[in-house]
Amino acid sequence: MLEIKDLKKRYGRFQALDGLSMEVGDGELYGFVGPNGAGKTTTIKIITGLLSADSGSVTIDGVDALRDRRILKQNIGYVPDFFGVYDNLKVGEYMEFFASCYGIEGLTARKRCASLLEQVKLEEKKDFYVDGLSRGMKQRLCLARALIHDPKLLVLDEPTSGLDPRSRVEFKEILKELCERGKTILVSSHVLSELSEQCTGIGLIDQGKMVMQGSMDWLLSKVNTSNPLIISVLDNRERAVAILRSHPACRPSP
Ligand SMILES: Nc1ncnc2c1ncn2[C@@H]1O[C@H](COP(=O)(O)OP(=O)(O)O)[C@@H](O)[C@H]1O
Ligand SMILES: [Mg+2]
């Protein structure tokens, strides 16, 4: 579905992306994980056509997306890290406005919007002002908006940061359902554990480079064995060892 090769981007003298490559297969829920400043937003802005790369390639189903912006816009739905919503519109009006931006009008638009609002569990909020929605609801509305032109690939930049725990779980459930319905999803986060349950594949980025990429199971096995925790105890050593041994996440070192 999405293939990125040797992507480079400089901001002045600062090399934000330094030869980043990654591959997202059809139907994957792909977690794009890295610390703040790693280059996630820069990568996502290039994929979505908002920023130009210095060099490298981005292909969507084999088509050069950096050259053919129309193909890119047809195929990608984007949920940015900071988004504005139009406060003086009702939820239904907001959706129909964005539908009309894609040339979807009338009954088709109303049906599409109703179906999307149902998918993000906002069908009952159709006649509410966007202004009055909670942050989690606004985030889900933004997701519905990104799906309006039925894109193959959905790209979300840290969608769960700033949400309360319940809204996070709800949001991740919706992403999983969308993936089961056939969407390919790329979602970024600076917390690996935030995505590890849902994702089929994962890419770890640091300082503008892909550090590790693969299936979630493969990655967790690597992280577990190559990154042991060293714990020093001041007292009651036997007791501490017994408690640690009883924990399901602990394994004796080889
Ligand atoms: N417009 C910009 N001008 C200069 N530096 C930038 C700009 N945007 C991002 N950067 C820098 O590029 C690096 C990568 O940023 P970003 O892609 O936003 O990372 P992430 O989303 O992983 O936190 C950071 O060090 C950031 O400070
Ligand atoms: Mg970012």
Side-chain angles (χ1 to χ4, degrees):
M1 166 71 67
L2 173 72
E3 197 176 349
I4 296 178
K5 271 197 193 141
D6 209 14
L7 207 58
K8 292 193 177 159
K9 176 74 190 175
R10 249 173 204 280
Y11 294 112
R13 293 174 64 188
F14 180 73
Q15 190 80 42
L17 294 183
D18 192 10
L20 181 100
S21 297
M22 87 188 193
E23 222 173 291
V24 181
D26 275 0
E28 263 201 273
L29 178 47
Y30 186 96
F32 187 35
V33 178
N36 286 333
K40 302 180 297 296
T41 299
T42 303
T43 309
I44 286 175
K45 282 190 174 162
I46 293 173
I47 303 173
T48 49
L50 296 171
L51 195 67
S52 58
D54 297 338
S55 63
S57 68
V58 176
T59 49
I60 297 176
D61 282 344
V63 176
D64 183 345
L66 297 186
R67 291 245 170 84
D68 197 336
R69 293 284 165 106
R70 224 162 63 99
I71 293 278
L72 185 140
K73 293 206 164 107
Q74 274 168 7
N75 286 305
I76 292 188
Y78 170 48
V79 179
D81 47 355
F82 294 103
F83 51 92
V85 279
Y86 296 66
D87 291 344
N88 54 350
L89 284 180
K90 291 180 179 166
V91 168
E93 293 168 343
Y94 177 85
M95 287 296 289
E96 283 177 33
F97 167 71
F98 280 98
S100 71
C101 294
Y102 283 96
I104 308 164
E105 310 263 5
L107 186 62
T108 320
R110 283 199 292 282
K111 277 191 182 160
R112 171 84 55 89
C113 295
S115 152
L116 287 172
L117 288 177
E118 194 195 322
Q119 284 180 45
V120 301
K121 313 206 171 13
L122 283 178
E123 66 272 39
E124 281 165 19
K125 300 286 176 192
K126 187 171 156 278
D127 296 317
F128 283 57
Y129 279 100
V130 169
D131 196 19
L133 299 181
S134 70
R135 192 170 150 73
M137 288 175 188
K138 281 185 183 160
Q139 189 65 296
R140 287 184 344 243
L141 180 60
C142 201
L143 173 61
R145 180 191 85 183
L147 289 166
I148 211 129
H149 56 303
D150 198 20
K152 289 190 219 171
L153 175 66
L154 189 60
V155 179
L156 306 101
D157 197 358
E158 306 224 23
T160 53
S161 70
L163 297 189
D164 62 76
R166 199 174 141 200
S167 308
R168 277 180 192 201
V169 172
E170 275 172 5
F171 197 87
K172 288 191 281 182
E173 275 303 312
I174 293 171
L175 289 188
K176 213 171 147 198
E177 281 170 26
L178 285 170
C179 201
E180 283 160 7
R181 285 171 182 233
K183 291 271 180 256
T184 303
I185 300 177
L186 171 77
V187 52
S188 78
S189 177
H190 60 275
V191 191
L192 176 62
S193 58
E194 181 68 22
L195 297 172
S196 54
E197 274 169 47
Q198 269 82 14
C199 286
T200 51
I202 207 118
L204 296 185
I205 176 181
D206 193 23
Q207 296 182 5
K209 279 191 184 133
M210 192 56 84
V211 180
M212 266 184 171
Q213 183 173 219
S215 75
M216 198 61 226
D217 292 343
W218 174 82
L219 191 108
L220 285 180
S221 71
K222 284 268 176 207
V223 172
N224 284 343
T225 50
S226 64
N227 195 14
L229 275 180
I230 298 173
I231 300 172
S232 306
V233 285
L234 291 176
D235 207 351
N236 284 329
R237 212 179 77 170
E238 272 76 37
R239 198 153 168 249
V241 169
I243 291 170
L244 286 171
R245 283 228 167 101
S246 69
H247 194 282
C250 284
R251 268 185 259 153
S253 68

